[in-house]
Amino acid sequence: MSVEDKTASVDEKAGSVDREALAVSPGSEFPHTPEEERRLVRKLDMRIMPIACIMYLFAYLDRTNLGNARLQGLPRDVLRGDPTGVLFDWVNSAFFFSYILCQVPATVLAKLYPPRTWLGCAAVGWGLCSVLMSTAFNFAGLVVARVGLGVFEAGFGPGLPVYMSFFYTKEELGMRMAYWFGFAAVAGAFGGLIAFGVQHAHATIANWKLLFIVEGVPTVIIGLLAMVMLPNRPEETSLFNEKEREIALHRANRGFKADTGRVVNKAHIVAAFKDWRVYAAGVIYFGANCALASISAFLPTIITTFGYTNALAQLLTVPPYAVTAIFLCMNSYISDRLQSRGVFVAAASALAAVGYVLLLTVLTNDHVRYFAVFCITSGTYTAIGIIIAWFAHNLGSETKKATGTPLYMAIGQCGSVLGSHIYPSTEGPRYIKGFAITCALELLGAVFAIILTVSYRIENKRRDAKYGKPDPNATVDTTELADKAPNFRYVP
């Protein structure tokens, strides 16, 4: 097959540095000292992480603020009261339909454009959609705004892990993904505080309208900043001097190199769709996202069943999310150090399942039920954060990551649609069906995580026996075979 058949490429910017020209051969010495590399990582952290984390904070706020708006009168004002909760469920899930459909094409297309332009425009788009939700006066208006929100966030959620893999090694990526995804938990806590403040704002417009505006306008500003502040690809960005660029490109080639630059390898797109492990990750992500969507939309409502007022219930969503952020970072740090992911995903999923079991079986002790909320949020967020880092490395090439990552995420987001429909108002206050379904899916996710980690370990041992153990710092050429290259090793 010719190169033209395999790739569809776009010319790089004039003057950009060829990544392969700076790649270091397996036996050569590092072209830099450890201290120089640490300085570069600190520089990347200072430039990338604050913007990426704040973008995700507002992405998650804009995605999940419906749960708070529900307690602030949105169903009464726009959905004619919605006594069954069905209309609210459809408004909540409308986001996920467009988000699911657009993830794969958006992430593959993102490889053909400057990353900061793509990510920044996505943020501006979903921020505007969030603000426009405040102008909705009927069911259709809310649905259209939520669909638009899903389209723009599809260009950000799966694309950011791929973007960060341009700059960070597999030993560094897990913790950075934890910081990034941990801001979803921060968003839960922050969102509760914002909603509590808005509840007492006594503004001239409805509280839920003010909530959408307060959380949407900063997103537009952050998107504009991202277009200026985020670095483009290592070979293109003006952030680096020539020495830093050399170090960054050497780091990018540590472990493997493949279809870098604004290039799409068609064979790797097909390989991603044929890889059973991507679908296994989708099963884990399905269960976790079913829990995540229901937590996001219904946690304040669930806490009101403990006997608290609406305003206090929104405030009581803060502690579980705060603990979750710490738990996620702690597990991701250990996972990075051990270079092991599957065991942590399985344990986190099992912890969330325990939380649901407590909600199902303990009916009168509100302290235990509130503790169960901590288990659910900590387990669910940790499982998602670690699996994102897991597959940011294990797919082998940029195109396969740009296809496989949104593919398993799209499968997982179908769980978000399910999670939006299994907590109708008529099921309260016990919500037996919702808790039972989500508990079963979390346990299924734990089983699949064990299957995945065992399969990765077996495959690594098979390759070691057949080809010998490779140098961990050697460059593995994954241009043709992606993660199937003989010297490529998975993170189990």
Side-chain angles (χ1 to χ4, degrees), residues 215-229:
E215 294 182 355
V217 171
T219 305
V220 176
I221 298 171
I222 292 297
L224 295 173
L225 283 175
M227 294 183 202
V228 178
M229 299 296 293

Side-chain angles (χ1 to χ4, degrees), residues 64 67-68 71 192 294-305 308-310 313-314 317 321:
T64 60
N68 297 116
L71 298 183
S294 56
I295 290 168
S296 304
F298 301 104
L299 183 58
T301 303
I302 291 170
I303 293 178
T304 60
T305 67
Y308 301 110
T309 64
N310 287 355
Q314 291 179 124
T317 62
Y321 285 120

Side-chain angles (χ1 to χ4, degrees), residues 23-177:
V24 178
S25 61
S28 64
E29 296 181 355
F30 295 165
H32 55 269
T33 66
E35 180 55 34
E36 288 176 323
E37 183 170 350
R38 283 193 292 270
R39 280 201 301 269
L40 176 64
V41 173
R42 285 195 295 269
K43 185 174 184 177
L44 289 170
D45 286 342
M46 292 296 291
R47 180 60 71 92
I48 294 174
M49 295 307 299
I51 298 174
C53 290
I54 292 172
M55 288 176 76
Y56 197 64
L57 169 69
F58 281 100
Y60 208 77
L61 283 174
D62 294 336
R63 183 191 310 183
T64 60
N65 50 19
L66 271 181
N68 297 116
R70 186 184 201 181
L71 298 183
Q72 294 177 344
L74 182 146
R76 181 191 65 242
D77 295 346
V78 182
L79 304 177
R80 299 181 181 179
D82 189 26
T84 63
V86 172
L87 292 179
F88 177 84
D89 291 350
W90 280 110
V91 170
N92 187 44
S93 59
F95 164 87
F96 297 106
F97 292 124
S98 55
Y99 190 64
I100 290 165
L101 292 174
C102 295
Q103 281 191 61
V104 173
T107 310
V108 173
L109 284 174
K111 271 184 61 66
L112 305 179
Y113 297 92
R116 66 183 181 186
T117 303
W118 183 273
L119 296 171
C121 287
V124 170
W126 87 66
L128 289 174
C129 289
S130 180
V131 173
L132 289 173
M133 286 176 65
S134 68
T135 67
F137 54 86
N138 58 19
F139 172 75
L142 280 176
V143 167
V144 169
R146 290 284 290 180
V147 168
L149 192 72
V151 170
F152 286 107
E153 285 208 25
F156 173 75
L160 206 284
V162 176
Y163 169 71
M164 291 178 70
S165 71
F166 299 162
F167 298 97
Y168 294 106
T169 66
K170 65 181 181 179
E171 291 81 14
E172 300 162 347
L173 198 57
M175 199 61 193
R176 271 71 183 181
M177 285 290 95

